[in-house]
């Protein structure tokens, strides 16, 4: 029995998300079926997160237990040979029995890509979300500071998930502009359902001048979902890295 | 009669290239048909280049003559409303009668994207070309210097095109590495058929240690296509800008 850890990159455009569902093809199912083809085992892949439909990942982590004799580092190429081109295994290695992709995770880093121009994207349109009005990055950076640290993020959570606590710690929130692309990088010890997308949606309101950077403090304190910004579309979001 | 200039971004993945052809849908045809829907005129779009199947563009330039009363700057949104999502008009404006997107062009800038890692790309796989072996960027930058200036680029031209002269001037060839992505930016007064892709293919041989940076001088002088590198795949290439 070996516990194998996979690092996975995927383009989420064509999938209903990471987790197996009845209403569409999931990334989990596609990889489990690829593993079945090479091991003859119906493994259960444990994923680090439940990414939504359309969300991408560069460094998703998953693990599974197997009796297969395939050397751990060979799983990478063996599974890739059975996968469609929108999912690739970047790395495979044996980890200790106690490793659990979800429960062992200490933190995560996400990116969100905004194309800030009047015309929609043609190139890379599956990986970025257009915002027409010119955004003030300085104001967004000022507002972003309020998120750093440990807070009750109830105002930044979509309904439909049950969690023990809504307190999370954000380590870093960086905003990088290159030409008309604005990248948001957020890392923290964990994220509530849609939390990154609602944080970005709230910062876009700051960047548009609809709310002031200082207002973010009040919005967090209010714990009121209605006071935060919109949940921006899934396609701009990418799970960059999981920390253990 | 007005001469309208369009600046166009497109994802070339689904097309047989810019120019109308019998064997597939071209970008030119799609835009001409969109213009017909809004003006009732069968215009002839003049393009700055004949990009190949799979090649992308961020700043393609085209022009057409019309009797339409639509204000020049409105063409942008009017045409966009009729286009598929992989082609967008970034700008439309009236230019003088003598402006010709191809003959008036003074130069062009292209980019080429290489993903330098052992595993193929899942994200952005339509816009980058994978190279497995680790590339030496310093050696490629050294080799790139030999291309700068005015040379006979016969060794860097695919057959199938007839041109008056094979002499071209390259102004700049920049190589920018960010994590495992390597971008090549090439600007010049004009390019022979497949010239950018063969230059990049040759630099990849330098980066892999197959040829020395200094060998590029001899390869150019030889005017021998067989001595230059492979023509790298179309999907990594993007027409960034046309200079007038």
């Amino acid at each position: 029995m070996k516990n194998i850890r996979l690092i996975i990159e995927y383009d989420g455009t064509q999938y209903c998300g990471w987790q197996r569902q009845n209403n569409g093809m999931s990334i989990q199912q596609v990889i489990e079926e690829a593993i079945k083809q090479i091991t003859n085992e119906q493994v259960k892949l444990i994923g680090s997160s439940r990414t939504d439909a359309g969300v991408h990942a560069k460094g998703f982590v998953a693990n599974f237990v197997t009796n297969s004799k395939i050397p751990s580092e060979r799983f990478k190429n063996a599974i890739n040979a059975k996968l469609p081109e929108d999912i690739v295994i970047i790395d495979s290695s044996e980890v200790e029995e106690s490793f659990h992709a979800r429960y062992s995770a200490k933190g995560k880093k996400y990116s969100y890509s905004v194309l800030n121009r009047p015309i929609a994207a043609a190139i890379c349109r599956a990986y970025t979300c257009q915002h027409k009005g010119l955004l003030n990055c300085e104001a967004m950076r000022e507002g972003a500071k309020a998120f750093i640290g440990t807070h009750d993020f109830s105002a930044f959570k979509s309904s439909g998930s049950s969690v023990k606590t809504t307190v999370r710690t954000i380590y870093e929130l960086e905003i990088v502009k290159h030409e008309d692309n604005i990248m948001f990088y957020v890392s923290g010890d964990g994220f509530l359902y849609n939390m990154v997308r609602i944080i970005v949606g709230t910062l876009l309101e700051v960047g548009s001048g609809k709310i002031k950077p200082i207002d973010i403090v009040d919005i967090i304190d209010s714990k009121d979902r209605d006071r935060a910004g919109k949940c921006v579309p899934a396609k701009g979001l990418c799970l960059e890295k999981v920390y253990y």
Side-chain angles (χ1 to χ4, degrees), chain A:
Chain A
M1 293 273 279
K2 287 186 296 189
N3 190 8
I4 304 290
R5 185 193 64 185
L6 303 178
I7 303 189
I8 307 163
E9 175 179 304
Y10 56 79
D11 176 332
T13 309
Q14 304 295 332
Y15 299 96
C16 66
W18 165 260
Q19 200 167 36
R20 271 184 185 263
Q21 283 183 39
N22 294 327
N23 66 350
M25 185 55 71
S26 68
I27 295 134
Q28 181 186 17
Q29 183 178 348
V30 170
I31 302 175
E32 284 179 353
E33 287 174 4
I35 294 171
K36 189 172 184 182
Q37 284 184 62
I38 59 170
T39 62
N40 270 320
E41 294 175 341
Q42 181 59 59
V43 305
K44 161 106 178 126
L45 257 188
I46 297 164
S48 54
S49 331
R50 296 186 200 140
T51 61
D52 277 331
V55 172
H56 313 292
K58 285 186 181 170
F60 193 95
V61 177
N63 72 293
F64 65 99
V65 171
T66 177
N67 288 309
S68 166
K69 298 276 182 286
I70 299 173
S72 314
E73 67 282 4
R74 293 254 184 109
F75 269 104
K76 177 177 66 177
N77 291 337
I79 302 173
N80 280 334
K82 305 293 180 191
L83 288 175
E85 61 176 12
D86 49 7
I87 305 177
V88 293
I89 310 298
I90 302 285
D91 189 61
S92 61
S93 60
E94 186 171 355
V95 285
E96 44 190 68
E97 203 187 325
S98 63
F99 178 86
H100 185 286
R102 188 163 171 210
Y103 299 138
S104 306
K106 296 253 190 305
K108 280 165 201 161
K109 181 178 185 175
Y110 283 92
S111 66
Y112 195 90
S113 169
V114 170
L115 182 68
N116 190 205
R117 69 176 195 189
I119 305 291
I123 291 183
C124 284
R125 64 194 181 282
Y127 314 104
T128 190
C129 179
Q130 181 210 10
H131 184 92
K132 291 187 184 188
L134 188 67
L135 292 163
N136 179 340
C137 281
E138 277 317 303
M140 292 195 292
R141 287 188 190 110
E142 188 58 34
K145 291 177 188 167
F147 290 110
I148 309 297
T150 304
H151 305 281
D152 182 332
F153 282 100
S154 299
F156 298 86
K157 177 177 98 56
S158 290
S159 57
S161 60
S162 66
V163 281
K164 280 185 206 159
T165 166
T166 48
V167 173
R168 294 288 184 277
T169 300
I170 291 190
Y171 306 131
E172 198 177 22
L173 206 171
E174 201 189 358
I175 300 170
V176 180
K177 186 175 162 93
H178 178 69
E179 294 172 358
D180 45 20
N181 181 250
I182 301 173
M183 294 296 296
F184 297 78
Y185 295 100
V186 194
S187 62
D189 65 350
F191 294 92
L192 303 169
Y193 186 47
N194 285 341
M195 181 169 149
V196 176
R197 290 162 57 187
I198 300 170
I199 287 176
V200 172
T202 307
L203 287 172
L204 294 185
E205 298 205 348
V206 173
S208 316
K210 286 182 193 159
I211 61 174
K212 290 194 285 271
I214 192 73
D215 293 343
I216 305 268
V217 177
D218 284 343
I219 296 171
I220 295 172
D221 286 348
S222 75
K223 298 172 198 164
D224 180 1
R225 172 69 190 90
D226 293 339
R227 289 198 53 198
K230 282 184 193 146
C231 177
V232 288
K235 66 178 187 168
L237 188 66
C238 181
L239 174 59
E240 293 279 334
K241 205 173 160 74
V242 185
Y243 302 100
Y244 292 94

